[in-house]
């Protein structure tokens, strides 16, 4: 969701070692005393080349340790980023050097892609409106085949959730998407709110091997869906509060079964973690401040590397405002956090 640029003090610059080496947790400020300090190193660093990605970067998702998917919401563009030393750069193979334009399943429109997640089903985005009709809310989830060399990607499947979600303004809709495997949900005793019984994946034939979770900016709520992978059909399985007034990103950390919810500068960059409680419902387990060395940027994207190195995992934020000519910044998260 693009906003007017703001003047912010320059980002803290750190060496790679300082970012990846997990430092002692910092002390929360008085204004956020109820929050826990960021559970990793305090340092952050720019990890994209200057003015390569530009503004409106809104969502991130790791696919392995060396591939990072990113989406821009205006115009709707998907990037395949690859690791190059200390930076993330657009892949130069298969037409990815400038990103690829996104289209709806009918081959038309300009999806206002606010979030992305790499899944076994494909690369999936969430949108809040069509850029060609920007005054109307259109809360959709789109799946893309990213294997070819075409410069424009047309969705292979599309789910319009607008009728099932609260009515919101055109620029206040879906900002986050994540995916959790069925095996993780059943192992935790997750309860299907529709059936009032433990979640049974067989109840939803054709939905793939996991549930999709979307976050609504306007109310900070998270909604879990079984999406028929043929496209179109969906069933809401659960809904729950993120613990934030507004939500910009969701990230499932498979190593510990926690779901991260992230807010932007409207919430001082706070994030929460959620897990399935003994009653089978997702509930907030902690609320964290942003790293102490990172200014209050308009961070709308957040992703956690699956790889632990020197006691920490790399985490990457996407700054919608492209402050200082940089859209991506990295920090670290304790492997056991």
């Amino acid at each position: 969701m693009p906003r007017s640029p703001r003047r912010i003090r320059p980002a803290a610059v750190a060496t790679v070692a300082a970012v990846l080496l997990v430092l002692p947790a910092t002390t929360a400020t008085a204004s956020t005393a109820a929050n826990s300090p960021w559970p990793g190193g305090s340092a952050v660093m720019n990890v994209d080349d200057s003015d390569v990605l530009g503004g409106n970067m809104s969502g991130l998702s790791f696919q392995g340790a060396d591939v990072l998917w990113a989406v821009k919401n205006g115009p709707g563009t998907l990037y395949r980023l690859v690791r190059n030393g200390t930076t993330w750069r657009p892949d130069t193979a298969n037409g990815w050097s400038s990103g690829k334009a996104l289209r709806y399943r009918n081959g038309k429109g300009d999806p206002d892609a606010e979030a992305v997640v790499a899944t076994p089903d494909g690369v999936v985005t969430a949108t809040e409106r069509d850029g060609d009709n920007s005054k109307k809310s259109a809360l959709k989830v789109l799946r893309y085949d990213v294997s070819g060399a075409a410069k424009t990607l047309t969705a292979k499947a599309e789910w319009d959730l607008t009728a099932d979600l609260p009515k919101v303004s055109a620029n206040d809709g879906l900002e986050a998407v994540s995916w959790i495997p069925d095996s993780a949900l059943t192992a935790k005793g997750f309860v299907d709110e529709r059936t009032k019984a433990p979640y049974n994946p067989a109840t939803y034939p054709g939905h793939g091997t996991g549930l999709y979770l979307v976050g609504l900016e306007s109310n900070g709520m998270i909604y879990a869906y079984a999406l028929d992978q043929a496209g179109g059909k969906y069933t809401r399985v659960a809904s729950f509060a993120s613990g934030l007034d507004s939500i910009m990103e969701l990230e499932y950390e498979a190593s510990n079964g926690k779901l991260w919810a992230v807010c932007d500068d409207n919430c001082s960059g706070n994030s929460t973690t959620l897990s399935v409680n003994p009653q089978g419902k997702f509930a907030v387990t902690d609320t964290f401040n942003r790293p102490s060395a990172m200014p209050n940027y308009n961070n709308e994207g957040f992703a956690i590397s699956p790889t632990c190195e020197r006691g920490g995992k790399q985490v990457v934020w996407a700054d919608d405002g492209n402050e200082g000519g940089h859209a991506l910044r990295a920090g670290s998260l304790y492997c056991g956090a």
Side-chain angles (χ1 to χ4, degrees):
M1 181 183 69
R3 294 192 178 94
S4 300
R6 299 175 300 115
R7 291 186 62 84
I8 305 180
R9 63 187 185 275
V13 177
T15 64
V16 179
V19 169
L20 292 181
L21 179 63
V22 177
L23 302 177
T26 57
T27 303
T29 63
S31 62
T32 53
N35 297 347
S36 299
W38 175 253
S42 61
V44 295
M45 65 178 291
N46 300 325
V47 288
D48 61 336
D49 292 323
S50 182
D51 290 318
V52 169
L53 297 173
N56 290 343
M57 298 303 298
S58 290
L60 298 171
S61 179
F62 274 96
Q63 186 173 32
D66 297 316
V67 174
L68 183 63
W69 294 98
V71 285
K72 177 176 289 191
N73 62 275
T77 309
L78 179 66
Y79 293 85
R80 186 179 192 271
L81 306 177
V82 292
R83 192 186 298 276
N84 187 299
T86 63
T87 62
W88 290 94
R89 295 176 178 172
D91 193 351
T92 57
N94 295 321
W96 287 105
S97 57
S98 298
K100 298 191 177 187
L102 300 179
R103 298 290 182 264
Y104 290 102
R105 194 171 188 177
N106 63 6
K108 300 179 181 180
D110 176 19
D112 181 24
E114 299 284 353
V116 64
V117 61
T119 80
D121 303 319
V123 174
V124 173
T125 68
T127 74
E128 60 184 4
R129 56 184 171 176
D130 181 350
D132 290 344
N133 185 15
S134 61
K135 294 184 178 181
K136 182 180 179 181
S137 180
L139 310 181
K140 295 185 177 184
V141 174
L142 308 169
R143 189 189 74 228
Y144 293 94
D145 179 354
V146 296
S147 61
K151 286 283 191 179
T152 299
L153 300 178
T154 297
K156 297 299 182 182
E158 179 176 324
W159 299 268
D160 188 350
L161 308 180
T162 309
D164 190 62
L165 292 168
K167 291 183 179 180
V168 296
S169 65
N171 199 28
D172 211 21
L174 294 184
E175 287 277 342
V177 67
S178 191
W179 180 87
I180 301 181
D182 288 336
S183 57
L185 294 168
T186 55
K188 293 290 187 179
F190 175 62
V191 170
D192 184 334
E193 292 179 0
R194 190 182 67 88
T195 64
K196 311 299 182 186
Y199 170 60
N200 180 5
T203 304
Y204 307 101
H207 81 285
T209 58
L211 296 183
Y212 286 85
L213 284 70
V214 295
L216 197 63
E217 177 184 358
S218 65
N219 61 8
M221 288 290 291
I222 301 169
Y223 303 85
Y225 287 94
L227 302 180
D228 186 324
Q229 289 304 301
K233 297 180 180 179
Y234 59 84
T235 305
R236 189 200 292 189
V237 177
S239 62
F240 46 94
S242 68
L244 300 167
D245 292 335
S246 188
I247 187 170
M248 298 296 163
E249 182 70 287
L250 289 171
E251 172 78 351
Y252 177 65
E253 191 177 5
S255 63
N256 58 20
K258 289 190 176 181
L259 178 67
W260 286 74
V262 180
C263 191
D264 61 2
D265 52 339
N266 286 319
C267 311
S268 299
N270 289 343
S271 57
T272 60
T273 53
L274 303 95
S275 61
V276 179
N277 64 19
Q279 291 73 47
K281 298 180 180 294
F282 274 97
V284 173
T285 58
D286 216 330
T287 302
F288 296 110
N289 294 324
R290 66 183 189 272
S292 61
M294 183 164 65
N296 190 22
Y297 290 123
N298 185 18
N299 289 328
E300 294 196 356
F302 175 75
I304 303 171
S305 172
T307 302
C308 180
E309 182 181 359
R310 296 198 298 276
K313 296 178 182 178
Q314 185 183 59
V315 293
V316 184
W317 289 267
D319 173 14
D320 181 274
N322 196 45
E323 295 288 344
H326 291 281
L328 302 182
R329 294 179 181 86
S332 64
L333 182 69
Y334 293 122
C335 292

